[in-house]
Amino acid sequence: MSIRIALDAMGGDRAPGVTVQGAFLAAKEGVEVLLVGEEARLRAELARLGASLPIHHAPDWIPMEEHATEVRKRRESSIMVAMDLLKRGEVQAVVSMGHTGATMAAALFTLGRVKGVERPALLVEFPSQRGRTFLLDGGANADCRPSFLVQFAAMGLAYAEASGLKDPKVGLLSIGEEEGKGNALVLETYPLLKDALGERFFGNVEGRDVFLGTAEVVVTDGFTGNVVLKLAEGEAKVLLGWIKEALTSSPLARLGALLARGALRKVKEKVDPSQYGAMPLLGVEGAVFIGHGSADALAVKNALLRARSLVAAGLLDRVRAGLSALHV
């Protein structure tokens, strides 16, 4: 099966420079990329790189400062054109590092929701002591109902399995491990998850469990999930800064840093958001991936690689099957 990915090449703080560069890097690793955006600007970036990639012209794009609802009026914007290509089956996935709200709105407006999904969710991947933890919702839905979280759990399990994890478990993010701990949302959701997932439901998990890997999939509302995401990213940046400062504080420390360079590089790669590329928007009828607006070329490349891998693993079919199997 040929997997062709449409990249919203005009999306992001540094587009189209880093998006085209990232697409070029992904293409060198065998990804079939279609650049969607203003043709003259994209050709100029390709010429600068000495590269050649196919382009689908879109004369308009959605700036980061615009309101997400504008996307419905902008049918010729790069993100809407990309979604139309996915809807028609001309590509098998869409990747955008642009306006998160506009990308979500374009996906919902063009593709619609998977049967059984009330609200789609953003899945965030974190490195953990045991490998990886998948958390959702990462910010698509600030306010949630218990039924939303049950659907998030099913989609998260499908994603974890498509990523190669065996027998993943779901944890419900709370302020304590005991069943009676948590706010109204958590208390109402707990019995629903227990009934719907059976042994696949681990129970309540706390914030520290995200990085311990206590449960491979963690569900929460989008407000809390986005706070967790931004806190983790900020802490990682500060910690790396402290480590760099300590390792350059004296000649002896610099020598130690030189000797430990390989090990330190591996640690940096684990906590670098660029390594994870983009977040999948689960629950829409198509493979859609959304990255940071500040993404660099490495993040764009990794987003495209991830999209290809998950499409090949049948992510959308797994999500549909997971939702249809819910006992609710």
Side-chain angles (χ1 to χ4, degrees), residues 205-244:
V205 296
E206 298 180 80
R208 59 173 173 250
D209 292 305
V210 172
F211 298 99
L212 291 175
T214 304
E216 292 82 4
V217 177
V218 175
V219 294
T220 186
D221 61 275
F223 181 91
T224 305
N226 195 259
V227 170
V228 171
L229 169 62
K230 299 295 173 58
L231 175 63
E233 289 178 344
E235 183 68 7
K237 186 175 181 179
V238 170
L239 282 172
L240 288 173
W242 285 344
I243 292 170
K244 183 177 180 180

Side-chain angles (χ1 to χ4, degrees), residues 7-8 11-13 19 64 95-99 277-278 290-293 295 299-300 303:
L7 173 64
D8 173 15
D13 297 336
T19 50
M64 301 295 276
V95 171
S96 177
M97 319 309 276
H99 194 307
I290 306 174
H292 280 287
V300 176

Side-chain angles (χ1 to χ4, degrees), residues 173-195:
L173 192 62
S174 186
I175 57 171
E177 297 176 358
E178 299 83 2
E179 182 174 345
K181 290 285 184 71
N183 59 14
L185 176 62
V186 171
L187 293 174
E188 291 180 46
T189 303
Y190 192 103
L192 296 180
L193 285 172
K194 191 174 181 179
D195 182 57

Side-chain angles (χ1 to χ4, degrees), residues 15 26 51 55 63 72 93 102 143 173 192 214-215 248 253 269-270 326-328:
I55 296 171
R72 298 189 65 164
D143 297 302
L173 192 62
L192 296 180
T214 304
T248 56
E269 288 175 354
K270 278 190 175 183
L326 285 177
H327 303 300
V328 292

Side-chain angles (χ1 to χ4, degrees), residues 4-7 9 20 23 27 31-37 39 42-43 46 51-57:
R4 196 183 195 199
I5 302 168
L7 173 64
V20 172
V31 180
E32 188 177 348
V33 186
L34 175 65
L35 299 176
V36 180
E39 186 171 4
L42 299 184
R43 290 203 181 282
L46 287 169
S52 177
L53 289 173
I55 296 171
H56 189 103
H57 179 60

Side-chain angles (χ1 to χ4, degrees), residues 233-278:
E233 289 178 344
E235 183 68 7
K237 186 175 181 179
V238 170
L239 282 172
L240 288 173
W242 285 344
I243 292 170
K244 183 177 180 180
E245 183 181 333
L247 292 174
T248 56
S249 61
S250 70
L252 187 60
R254 286 192 289 272
L255 176 60
L258 184 63
L259 295 172
R261 183 169 53 185
L264 291 169
R265 186 181 298 116
K266 289 180 181 179
V267 172
K268 184 177 184 296
E269 288 175 354
K270 278 190 175 183
V271 300
D272 183 0
S274 296
Q275 297 296 325
Y276 301 92

